[in-house]
């Protein structure tokens, strides 16, 4: 779903349980917490989820491979063969070259001539 604070999700659930619609809920929450606290579409998404019977306020698990395993594998590859190019690493890990660049930068690895 969306990355909104848990207290706002509680407010959305409260508005849902009061019987308000999503637009009214967004308006009420923004009036109480400040303009732009929650978008109307966000309330609609959460209301849909509540109507389906899912009253959990936690995000649903996201699909795809876990990021941590890719980073650990990248670290191992770099330690074993430090001269690998980002193109070679991206082919080995099955991800974009820009993703490899970003992870290397986050690890403190920089290009040296």
């Amino acid at each position: 779903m969306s990355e909104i604070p848990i207290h706002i999700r509680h407010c959305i659930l409260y508005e849902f349980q009061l019987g308000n619609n999503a637009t009214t809920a967004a308006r009420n929450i923004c009036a109480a917490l400040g303009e732009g606290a929650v978008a109307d579409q966000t309330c609609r998404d959460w209301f849909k989820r509540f109507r389906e019977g899912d009253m959990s306020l936690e995000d649903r698990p996201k699909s795809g491979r876990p990021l941590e395993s890719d980073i650990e594998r990248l670290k191992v590859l770099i330690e074993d063969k430090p001269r690998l190019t980002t193109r070679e690493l991206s082919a080995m890990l099955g991800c974009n070259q820009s993703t490899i660049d970003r992870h290397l930068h986050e690890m403190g690895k920089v290009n040296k001539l």
Side-chain angles (χ1 to χ4, degrees), residues 17-108:
Q17 290 174 332
L18 284 177
N20 293 331
N21 63 31
T23 304
T24 303
R27 192 177 320 119
N28 291 344
I29 293 168
C30 286
L33 300 177
E35 197 61 37
V38 67
D40 186 52
Q41 186 59 50
T42 302
C43 282
R44 289 174 201 253
D45 293 340
W46 282 98
F47 269 50
K48 179 178 181 238
R49 189 168 155 173
F50 297 150
R51 279 192 300 275
E52 292 169 353
D54 183 2
M55 296 297 180
S56 169
L57 298 176
E58 300 299 320
D59 284 326
R60 292 180 176 152
K62 295 180 174 53
S63 63
R65 292 190 332 201
L67 182 62
E68 289 75 25
S69 65
D70 289 344
I71 293 173
E72 289 303 316
R73 188 163 172 225
L74 177 62
K75 287 178 182 177
V76 169
L77 288 171
I78 294 295
E79 289 171 5
D80 290 345
K81 298 178 184 176
R83 295 198 182 274
L84 287 172
T85 65
T86 56
R87 181 174 289 154
E88 293 168 329
L89 289 167
S90 69
M92 291 175 166
L93 295 173
C95 61
N96 293 331
Q97 195 171 347
S98 61
T99 303
I100 298 295
D101 286 332
R102 188 179 72 248
H103 290 315
L104 290 173
H105 180 74
E106 288 170 357
M107 285 190 256

